[in-house]
Every structure is written in C-alpha cells, then in structure tokens.
Amino acid sequence: MFRHGCAIAGLALMTTACGSPTPSQNVGETDVTMPAEPTAMDNAMAMDNAMAGGETATAALRKADGTPAGSATATTTADGLSVTVAVTGMTPGDHGVHVHMTGKCDAPDFKSAGGHWNPSNMKHGLDNPAGSHAGDMPNLKVAADGSGSLTFTLKSGTMAQLMDADGSAFVVHAGKDDQKTDPSGDSGDRVACGVFKAA
C-alpha cells in the first residue's frame, strides 16, 4: 500500500515537473535576446561609412558655343574625391583638365571659373615639389574621333569644399599641362567648362 502510494505521488511529481509551465514562463513564450543599443563608436563608424561611400556631384561640359562636350563626375571615396571625365568633340591630343574654384562657366573664355581649385594654397602641377593644387589632374588624352576619358583621385579637398557657397567647375584646356608651371601648366585656352551640381 505504501509502495503504491509512493508510485502515484512520484508520477504526480513528474507530471508537474515535465508537463506544466513554471510560473516564470508562459506557454508559447520564446526566449528573445534584444539587440544592444548602438554605441557612440558604432554611430561614428556608420557616419564615416556614409561619408566615404558616395556623395556625388556632376558637371555637364559645354564648349563656348554651347555644344555639349561630355561630363565630369566627382564622387567621395575613402581615398579622396574620385573624378571621372569623359569628353566628346575635342581636338585629338593631350589636354590639361582641372577642377576650378568658382562654379561659373561664362562663354566665350570661361575665365569666370577662376583659378584652379586650391583650398590649401599650394603651387600648380603634379610634378611640382611645392604642389599641387587640389584640382590638378593628369592630362586627358583625346583620340582621333574626339573622345577621351580619365579617372583620377584628388587626395586633398573635400566634397564640402568643392560644393561651397560659390561652387566649383571643371575645365578642359586647349593644350597639354606641363604639370609644373604656375598657374595652369601652360595649358592654354579654356575650351570646355561645366559647373558641378549635387547629383
């Protein structure tokens, strides 16, 4: 009789332990781990990634007579401002190309674009030991069909400086830039110009 009562009590205890919910857990509840709140460092890294990945400005290039001549696009990257220029209808050969300090392209000479973009007040030319301007680039080689393209990363200067109150422009010159002579590498007349606009 005693053994039979113990067996029933033991069975009741096992049923309680295995089959019924405990007071701290309701039926159907799932144990969920909430994500941690982002730290100040996480927020700073996210902001850096956003800044390094993609602000863009584009300049539609035109000749003095208004003829379309291509485009220049500046994009923020981790290494600086990557500038890609593609031209059409240009004279074959090497042409000096630069970012200029003022967002204005008045024909016929485009002098309204000012000098080269130079926020750090450097000398001109990629080969100049005292240079270079932030807007200095290698020469653009134009093929026999009048087309050419070039991509180059500007190491100094920021998108905020490029798109400041008076903006900036991209200019194609008639001749080759010697990469050392102030103020523009003896690259001749300005034959195409475009004002950078946020894309």
Side-chain angles (χ1 to χ4, degrees), residues 47-57 73-84 117 151-160 162:
M47 186 172 288
D48 286 346
N49 290 338
M51 289 294 289
E55 289 181 298
T56 300
T73 301
T75 304
T76 303
T77 71
D79 297 321
L81 287 177
S82 176
V83 178
T84 297
W117 185 44
T151 297
F152 183 73
T153 299
L154 306 178
K155 300 292 188 181
S156 60
T158 65
M159 183 64 76
L162 188 78

Side-chain angles (χ1 to χ4, degrees), residues 86-113:
V87 299
T88 58
M90 290 287 144
T91 305
D94 289 339
H95 293 261
V97 289
H98 315 101
V99 176
H100 282 244
M101 63 189 290
T102 305
K104 204 168 182 184
C105 288
D106 294 340
D109 55 16
F110 303 126
K111 288 184 179 177
S112 56

Side-chain angles (χ1 to χ4, degrees), residues 94-98 137-140 171-177 187:
D94 289 339
H95 293 261
V97 289
H98 315 101
M137 295 179 62
N139 285 294
L140 170 68
V171 172
V172 180
H173 291 261
K176 181 178 180 177
D177 185 340
S187 52

